[in-house]
Amino acid sequence: QVQLQESGPGLVKSSQTLSLACTVSGASIIINNYAGHWLRQPPGKGLEWMGVITYDGTTYYSPSLKSRTSISRDTSKNQFSLQLNSVTPEDTAKYYCVRDGLVFGTGPPHWGQGTQVTVSS
């Protein structure tokens, strides 16, 4: 059974860096044609795809977040991570990691439960 678990601080100050990790169990993050995605959902708004790291370590980012986002991985921990720089209160959201196909939605997907991050001004 594939399970994902997000971890990281729930409160970040404006201008600082938000760092989250996603630990995957039940499947390797380096299996061909799978990838680790990060999405977020601000209060009262829809899901926003942020970026992805593929099985071979290639990364792609949402154009609107590319300048502030970095996704990396630690294969020894079967974990992939998100860094979002220079956060503002508009980055307050529930953040999700998802193991899916190379293109989001081409899975089958496995979602983490999500972690709430609040950015204080």
Side-chain angles (χ1 to χ4, degrees), residues 35-48:
H37 301 257
W38 284 99
L39 291 87
R40 68 181 183 177
Q41 186 167 26
K45 297 184 179 180
L47 275 170
E48 178 183 21

Side-chain angles (χ1 to χ4, degrees), residues 92-114:
T92 293
K94 193 164 187 179
Y95 287 76
Y96 297 91
C97 61
V98 184
R99 182 177 180 267
D100 203 334
L102 299 182
V103 175
F104 185 73
T106 60
H110 292 91
W111 289 71
Q113 63 184 14

Side-chain angles (χ1 to χ4, degrees), residues 11-22:
L11 183 64
V12 182
K13 293 182 179 179
S14 287
S15 80
Q16 293 187 343
T17 296
L18 181 162
S19 297
L20 298 174
C22 179

Side-chain angles (χ1 to χ4, degrees), residues 71-91:
I71 298 175
S72 60
R73 66 180 185 174
D74 186 335
T75 56
S76 68
K77 295 180 180 179
N78 212 41
Q79 187 179 81
F80 60 100
S81 300
L82 170 74
Q83 284 196 326
L84 183 65
N85 301 321
S86 304
V87 296
T88 71
E90 290 188 349
D91 294 310

